[in-house]
């Protein structure tokens, strides 16, 4: 049993006769990024050996809606779309707006490329906005080359509110690749 999210996957048996089925279980802890996206998708496949031949099931996917609602607005911009070279620093700016009619606290922005996004304020009154910044050094990821689009979301710590995803695209020129840390 291979699962892209769950850990400690266990099945009641290592053998399965023709026509039988079994339920395997595993554990997964919901992350801040999952909350920011508003859902988490899990994919699993099962495989076994029949008469010396490996047999693999079709992937089975399930998406869990985390119940958060869009109550935050998010815009994301990049200071300069490039082109960049390996080792260059990219500066991103984010604006988070409270779209609800009440105060919001525990606010954070997560970005799939930027390790740390820092906001001026983590608490917003109704209709209020805050500015945030994040930096990325080209080459921190393998494959930094051509057009790179990254996605950010804003959410509250309790997962009650989130934003729609916001993206920005930069261009990276050759030589591209991975810069060792």
């Amino acid at each position: 049993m291979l699962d892209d999210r769950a850990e400690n996957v266990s099945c009641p048996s290592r053998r399965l006769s023709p026509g039988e089925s079994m339920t395997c279980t595993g554990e997964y802890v919901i992350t801040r990024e999952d909350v920011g996206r508003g859902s988490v998708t899990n994919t699993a496949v099962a495989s076994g050996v029949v008469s010396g031949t490996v047999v693999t099931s079709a992937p089975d996917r399930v998406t869990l809606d985390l119940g958060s609602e869009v109550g935050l607005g998010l815009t994301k911009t990049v200071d300069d779309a490039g082109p960049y070279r390996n080792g260059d620093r990219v500066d991103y700016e984010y604006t988070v707006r409270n779209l609800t009619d009440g105060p919001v606290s525990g606010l954070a922005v997560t970005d799939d490329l930027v390790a740390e996004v820092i906001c001026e304020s983590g608490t917003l009154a109704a209709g209020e906005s805050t500015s945030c910044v994040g930096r990325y050094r080209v080459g921190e990821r393998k494959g930094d080359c051509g057009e790179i689009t990254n996605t950010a979301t804003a959410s509250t710590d309790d997962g009650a509110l989130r934003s729609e995803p916001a993206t920005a695209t930069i261009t990276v020129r050759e030589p591209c690749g991975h810069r060792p840390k």
Side-chain angles (χ1 to χ4, degrees):
M1 171 62 98
L2 297 173
D3 191 295
D4 69 338
R5 300 253 183 219
E7 295 179 356
N8 303 320
V9 176
S10 64
C11 299
S13 174
R14 294 187 48 96
R15 294 189 176 273
L16 193 62
S17 298
E20 285 186 329
S21 65
M22 76 172 75
T23 300
C24 301
T25 60
E27 301 169 357
Y28 178 72
V29 176
I30 301 296
T31 66
R32 171 184 272 296
E33 289 80 13
D34 296 331
V35 171
R37 283 188 299 274
S39 66
V40 62
T41 299
N42 177 238
T43 304
V45 295
S47 64
V49 178
V50 177
S51 301
T53 303
V54 176
V55 178
T56 302
S57 72
D60 189 27
R61 288 181 183 83
V62 65
T63 298
L64 175 65
D65 181 2
L66 298 178
S68 60
E69 71 176 74
V70 175
L72 301 172
L74 176 65
T75 57
K76 176 182 177 179
T77 58
V78 59
D79 284 350
D80 179 4
Y84 290 93
R85 291 188 173 276
N86 195 32
D88 288 348
R89 188 182 79 195
V90 183
D91 292 317
Y92 292 97
E93 295 177 4
Y94 312 78
T95 302
V96 182
R97 183 174 188 83
N98 179 357
L99 303 176
T100 71
D101 59 1
V104 171
S105 61
L107 182 70
V109 174
T110 55
D111 189 304
D112 65 355
L113 192 61
V114 177
E116 182 179 26
V117 177
I118 300 169
C119 297
E120 290 176 359
S121 176
T123 302
L124 299 175
E128 195 173 53
S129 297
T130 188
S131 296
C132 309
V133 294
R135 290 189 172 146
Y136 177 71
R137 185 147 323 265
V138 175
E140 288 181 13
R141 278 188 334 172
K142 279 191 168 186
D144 276 353
C145 197
E147 284 195 350
I148 300 173
T149 300
N150 62 315
T151 304
T153 54
S155 61
T156 54
D157 282 340
D158 63 6
L161 298 174
R162 64 177 168 82
S163 71
E164 292 292 340
T167 61
T169 301
I170 62 170
T171 302
V172 177
R173 250 196 281 189
E174 307 245 355
C176 23
H178 180 67
R179 181 175 60 88
K181 293 184 177 186

